[in-house]
Each structure stands twice: as C-alpha cells, then as structure tokens.
Amino acid sequence: MTSRAQRGAAKPDPDSPSPDQEGEAIEAIPLRHPWRFLIAVVLIILVAVFLLDAAQREDYGWSDVGKYIFDKRISQAALVTLQLTVYSMVLAIVLGLLLAIMRLSPNPVVKSVAWLYLWIFRGTPVYVQLVFWGIVSLIYPVFTIGIPFMAPWISVPNGIFTNLFLTAVIGLALNEAAYMSEIVRAGLLSVDDGQEEASRALAMSWGQTMRYIVVPQSMRIIIPPTGNEVISMLKTTSLVAAIPLSIDLYGVSRGISAVTFTPVPLLIVASIWYLLFTSILMVGQHFIEKRFARGTGQHKPGRRRSRMIAMPGAGTGIGEPPGNDFGGKH
Amino acid sequence: MVSADRVSKSFGSNQVLKSITLTVKAGEVLCIVGPSGSGKSTFLRCINHLERVDAGRLSVEGQLVGYREKAGKLYELKPKEAAFQRRDIGMVFQRFNLFPHLTALENISQAPMRVKGLSKARATARANELLERVGLGDKGDHYPAHLSGGQQQRVAIARALAMDPKLMLFDEPTSALDPELVGEVLDVMQELAKSGMTMIVVTHEMGFAREVADALVFMDGGVVVESGNPREVLANPQHARTQAFLAKVL
C-alpha cells in the first residue's frame, strides 16, 4: 500500500486524468426569480404614474423650479450652507477629540467635565440649543472680567452671539462635538491595550502615548463615521432658522417662497441642492471608507504613501500631515 | 539590581502574588517558570510599575518602584517620576505590541526621540545599529504587519534596547511564535545575556533556561516554590509541584 502510494505520488499513473485537464464545464439552467421581476415592474409603473401626475400638477410649479434652481440668491445660500457645515464640523472634530481624550483621562475631574458636557449637549435637542444660542446675547449683553459681584475690571460687549452666522457655527459645533467625542472615543478604545502598555513601558508619558501611538491608530475607526456626520451636518444646518439665521439654503428658499407664494417649487429647489451636496459627500465617503478598510492588507512595502494606506491604523487621516504624528517635530 | 522583599499583589479578592522574595544581581539572567496563572507575568509587570504592588518592598537599583520613602512614609510617585524610573527598564511582551502604524525603524526610534529628546538623525542611526544587532538590518522600512512573528519580536527587543536599559524584562517572549521562529528570538536573547545585560525572563523554554540562565525560579499559585541553579533545579527538582510541572513540560 505505502509503496504503491509513494510510487503513485512520484510518477503519476498514465491512466488517471492529468491535472491540467479540467472536468466538464457546468451548464445548468440558472435559478429563475419571477417575483423579483414582477415586483420591479409594478414599482416602475407606480413611479411612472406618480411622475406623470406630478409633471402635470400646477402645485409643483416646475417652471419655477427651473427658474430658481440657478438663481443667484439660491447658489449664494448654498455656499453659506457649505460654510456652516465645514466650519462647524472642523470645530466639532477638534472639540470632540478633546472631549474624548478628556473622558479617557485618568483624571476624574477632567473625566466628569467631559461627561457633563456630553450629558447636556447630547441630551437636549439641537433645535432647542440653537434657539438658546440665539437669545444668549440678550441674557449676556456684555462679557466682564473681574471679581464676581463687584465692579468689573474689563467689560466687552457680546460681539460673538450678536453675529448670527458665528452663533450658528458655534451652536451647531457644540452639539456636534458631543457626537464626535463618542465617535473618537470608540476609535481610541479600539486600539489594543498592549499599545498603551508598550508605550508606557518605553517611559512615554500619557500625553505622548495618546499623541504618537493611540490617536494615529484610531483614525481608521474614526474617519468613516465622521464622513457620515458631515453628511448629517449638511442637513442639520437647515435648523439654523431657530436662531434665527435665514441666509442658508433652506432659509433663503423659504424667504423667496414667502414673497412669491410658491412654497413647493422652492422646497424642490432646496432639496435638489441638498441632494447634490450629499451625493458628492457620499462619493467622497465611499472612497475614504475603501481606503481605510484596507486595514491588515498584505501589501508589499512600496512607495511610502501606499504603504501607509495598507497599514492597519495607518495614521494618514484627513487633515493630518504625512508622517506619523499630528505635525509634531521630527 | 532587583530586590523583592515579601511582595504581594491582589486583583480584587484574588491574591496573585503572595510574599515573593528574590534578588537579581547586575549581569544576572533569571528565568521564571511555572504554570499559567501562577503570577509570573504579574510579578514582571510590577517591576516596571505597570502594576502596583500592595505589600512588601520592590526596588530596582536600590530605588523603590513607584514610591518614594521619606521619614518612614511612602509617597506615591507622580506619573512623570514613574515614567522616569521606567527609562532604565526595557520590556518585551508576549504579543510583541509593536506600533503597527510605524515602520520597524520608527518603532525603535520613537521613544528615544520623544522621551530622551534625541534628534531624529541620531535616533534613526541608533535604531539602524540595533536592527543590525538583532539581524534585521534590511527590514528598517518594513511595517510590523510585513514581518514574521520572530522578526517582530526581534524588532520589539531592539525597541526596548533603544532606551539603553540596565534591566530587560521578557514576558513569555516566544509563546506567541510558531515553533520554527522561536530559535531566532532565543538567539538574540542569548547574545544579549552574553553581553552582560541583566535579564528577567518569564518563559516556558526550559532549554533556554538551562543554557542561559544564572538562576531559575519556579512559581505556582503566587508563591516561589523553588529556586536555584537552573541545571540543578531542572535535573533534580526538590518540590513535588516542581516535579509535576517539569514532568509535563520537559
């Protein structure tokens, strides 16, 4: 038995099929899915009926949609919406990172402050918060520095919350920071404990460990949901009407319709712009996720850039200079 | 170099170290063996204050670990001071714990740059020397994920050596390795021992203990059961628990 098996392994039997000769190709009849087809047809018919109907209804005011879609006021307002989104997200990410690190800090005071912040800003509606920030300038008309209940040394008029755009950015950012801090915290916690331990064993301080070891590795977890938050923020900016700020996309389209008495076409116009922006962001999100999901790839080291991407927890996140830290000295 | 005097440590109600007393002289290699859960790793982690000792006195080079004694009272060290104590103690982990987002070279040069304030050029030059020493001179720009387990552990040893430690702690350095990769790591450790490094090695490699160690400690259930010359202990264990353990692993 053994000797035959060995012989067989060494010298293939001429009668048995050689390895390069493949078996007969399978030509089976594929499984049919009649229900999928049927449901698709029904849905297409329903949508077609709806569209045909909508195209003929006066209320949709399609001519007005065409008239206002590229209106200067609308495109300006779209720019304001983008600015609100970008500024408040940048502020929220910075604040969120700070809060997340505070919550993971060994210092109980710092930890409690971060928890309290999260409790308040995640526990109340963003709309309510924006209304509040809108009236803060009435509650605190001047900022003063001095001993409490004594004549102030310096008093400055409240110039921040009288600027409605600034108020909107701050209001949106403060709310978003609470959510960002949870995203960042999840990212920081995803880094293996052994990393912190190794870093401490090398005599690095807690701050150095965070900055050079933990934060860069957590970017892979943090970036994709942050993209999601950006998309969400773009739409949340429409709530600045609560402040009340009305120079954003929704505010301006509402303002125009208040004059023309054509609310529906302007809602459609605003929606088209929002959809355009979110679609662009979704495409961006797709590429970011693809890039950061490569994780533990077995890529051979090549050019620096591709190697960084291939690495688990590669720290080349958005807004991070190439290298291994956040712009620290090299 | 290292002196433990009746050191105890508990996690909650679970006492993992019970009155451990031992000393390691400069240049000596001590191997700690024993079944898992016997407190070997915890003891190692206490030495560089990754864990806090509950009772007894543990000192490295005559300095209490994690505390300062003044007028008969113990004062907890500030994190900065504790970190300063760790500068002289290198540690190698079972699971390597290399920084995956940094190249082998950057893994090694990181701490000297951040902690000792070495320039990047000097830290990199030193890192290259150390990679050469562990036989990985050509792997400097590789990321840990592109290295085998044995290579990763050798980089981890080089990383610990970069801080010019006086004492090296090894926590089961070969336990996570494929059998054929164990040898290359043990070779590096043996070379290190020959160069006069003081080492404490928690290991299951009895061959290494026999060949390289100056002293061997057998721990079980949080106590030192038996200690002495490794060849004698391994060949002729006195205690029944040591005999039972060695019968299984040898």
Side-chain angles (χ1 to χ4, degrees):
Chain A
M1 277 297 272
T2 345
S3 64
R4 248 189 70 188
Q6 277 169 351
R7 200 153 35 86
K11 209 195 288 170
D13 191 344
D15 292 338
S16 69
S18 62
D20 54 356
Q21 190 182 333
E22 284 173 32
E24 192 193 340
I26 292 173
E27 280 175 34
I29 292 148
L31 191 61
R32 306 267 184 223
H33 297 286
W35 283 103
R36 288 185 195 174
F37 181 74
L38 192 72
I39 290 168
V41 167
V42 170
L43 285 176
I44 286 169
I45 290 169
L46 284 176
V47 169
V49 167
F50 173 77
L51 288 179
L52 281 173
D53 175 74
Q56 285 159 12
R57 268 180 205 270
E58 293 259 314
D59 299 307
Y60 284 102
W62 294 109
S63 59
D64 283 344
V65 171
K67 191 166 131 199
Y68 287 110
I69 186 90
F70 296 121
D71 189 292
K72 192 86 198 291
R73 287 169 290 175
I74 293 287
S75 51
Q76 289 260 290
L79 187 68
V80 171
T81 286
L82 277 184
Q83 284 172 332
L84 280 172
T85 308
V86 172
Y87 295 156
S88 53
M89 266 324 280
V90 168
L91 207 61
I93 288 168
V94 172
L95 200 57
L97 181 70
L98 189 73
L99 284 166
I101 290 178
M102 282 168 76
R103 276 203 77 185
L104 296 174
S105 150
N107 180 338
V109 178
V110 165
K111 210 186 240 180
S112 312
V113 169
W115 183 88
L116 189 72
Y117 183 96
L118 190 85
W119 181 64
I120 291 171
F121 282 91
R122 205 178 52 170
T124 55
V126 61
Y127 190 88
V128 173
Q129 286 172 30
L130 288 172
V131 171
F132 175 80
W133 293 120
I135 53 179
V136 149
S137 61
L138 301 178
I139 309 172
Y140 302 102
V142 287
F143 290 133
T144 57
I145 299 173
I147 302 161
F149 310 111
M150 304 275 278
W153 301 334
I154 303 169
S155 84
V156 187
N158 187 338
I160 294 174
F161 292 102
T162 45
N163 179 332
L164 293 184
F165 182 80
L166 214 55
T167 305
V169 169
I170 290 169
L172 291 169
L174 290 180
N175 178 260
E176 181 60 28
Y179 292 92
M180 277 310 302
S181 84
E182 285 297 275
I183 289 170
V184 173
R185 193 166 74 104
L188 296 179
L189 288 175
S190 76
V191 177
D192 183 51
D193 285 344
Q195 293 290 310
E196 197 187 328
E197 205 157 70
S199 178
R200 279 170 63 204
L202 285 165
M204 290 215 253
S205 69
W206 185 80
Q208 287 174 326
T209 301
M210 277 291 161
R211 179 169 168 195
Y212 300 115
I213 307 301
V214 178
V215 172
Q217 289 186 54
S218 63
M219 292 315 276
R220 187 169 58 101
I221 304 293
I222 294 172
I223 298 267
T226 302
N228 215 19
E229 290 298 304
V230 174
I231 291 174
S232 170
M233 176 59 88
L234 186 90
K235 297 172 293 164
T236 308
T237 55
S238 63
L239 294 182
V240 296
I243 286 179
L245 179 73
S246 55
I247 56 170
D248 72 307
L249 187 49
Y250 175 65
V252 166
S253 53
R254 211 180 34 157
I256 294 172
S257 64
V259 177
T260 59
F261 298 109
T262 51
V264 181
L266 280 146
L267 283 179
I268 293 172
V269 165
S271 300
I272 288 170
W273 277 94
Y274 281 120
L275 269 173
L276 173 74
F277 289 147
T278 50
S279 305
I280 292 167
L281 288 172
M282 274 167 75
V283 173
Q285 164 106 346
H286 172 76
F287 282 107
I288 288 171
E289 279 189 11
K290 231 170 113 178
R291 188 178 137 167
F292 281 88
R294 284 199 225 173
T296 53
Q298 295 293 313
H299 300 257
K300 286 270 171 284
R303 285 170 301 112
R304 180 172 179 85
R305 188 117 196 110
S306 62
R307 272 183 296 150
M308 291 303 283
I309 296 162
M311 284 315 305
T316 50
I318 283 174
E320 192 189 343
N324 52 29
D325 61 46
F326 281 75
K329 63 184 153 78
H330 265 275
Chain B
M1 174 72 85
V2 179
S3 148
D5 179 20
R6 289 165 291 161
V7 166
S8 295
K9 163 82 189 166
S10 301
F11 291 115
S13 61
N14 178 22
Q15 195 178 4
V16 288
L17 295 179
K18 294 167 190 162
S19 200
I20 303 278
T21 298
L22 58 83
T23 56
V24 182
K25 294 192 208 65
E28 216 174 36
V29 176
L30 170 73
C31 276
I32 305 178
V33 300
S36 51
S38 59
K40 314 177 298 270
S41 294
T42 307
F43 178 67
L44 210 61
R45 292 158 57 81
C46 287
I47 295 174
N48 69 350
H49 203 48
L50 287 177
E51 301 288 354
R52 190 191 299 225
V53 169
D54 296 335
R57 293 286 187 275
L58 180 62
S59 60
V60 176
E61 286 205 284
Q63 275 199 324
L64 272 182
V65 174
Y67 300 94
R68 191 183 325 108
E69 195 159 24
K70 211 169 154 190
K73 273 191 180 156
L74 285 183
Y75 295 89
E76 212 176 310
L77 289 186
K78 288 178 193 156
K80 260 203 183 122
E81 295 168 316
F84 194 82
Q85 282 191 337
R86 290 194 194 102
R87 286 171 63 149
D88 291 336
I89 306 172
M91 186 154 187
V92 175
F93 299 87
Q94 181 178 353
R95 309 213 60 90
F96 329 135
N97 295 359
L98 288 179
F99 307 132
H101 61 303
L102 302 176
T103 62
L105 209 61
E106 288 166 339
N107 260 280
I108 301 168
S109 62
Q110 194 67 206
M113 277 162 62
R114 306 300 174 204
V115 178
K116 291 193 164 172
L118 253 63
S119 70
K120 192 182 181 189
R122 278 188 61 195
T124 306
R126 175 91 177 104
N128 268 316
E129 273 173 43
L130 287 164
L131 274 177
E132 209 62 64
R133 184 171 172 188
V134 297
L136 295 171
D138 56 334
K139 303 285 188 200
D141 60 347
H142 284 53
Y143 283 89
H146 304 136
L147 297 173
S148 73
Q151 291 171 334
Q152 287 189 50
Q153 194 60 298
R154 280 146 70 196
V155 172
I157 294 172
R159 179 176 70 173
L161 290 174
M163 291 296 284
D164 297 313
K166 296 183 177 123
L167 168 69
M168 284 284 284
L169 308 175
F170 293 85
D171 187 4
E172 303 199 22
T174 57
S175 295
L177 295 176
D178 291 338
E180 80 269 22
L181 301 177
V182 168
E184 61 189 65
V185 172
L186 291 181
D187 286 347
V188 168
M189 289 167 63
Q190 187 159 8
E191 185 268 327
L192 198 58
K194 269 193 196 139
S195 74
M197 177 64 75
T198 313
M199 294 162 58
I200 301 180
V201 185
V202 170
T203 187
H204 293 298
E205 296 293 327
M206 298 304 158
F208 177 82
R210 191 184 294 120
E211 294 295 316
V212 181
D214 300 300
L216 184 126
V217 162
F218 174 73
M219 278 178 74
D220 190 14
V223 297
V224 173
V225 176
E226 192 164 345
S227 63
N229 179 300
R231 272 164 294 269
E232 283 166 25
V233 174
L234 291 173
N236 190 16
Q238 299 299 310
H239 205 283
R241 273 196 279 177
T242 320
Q243 287 164 4
F245 176 73
L246 291 177
K248 279 182 210 150
V249 298
L250 281 179

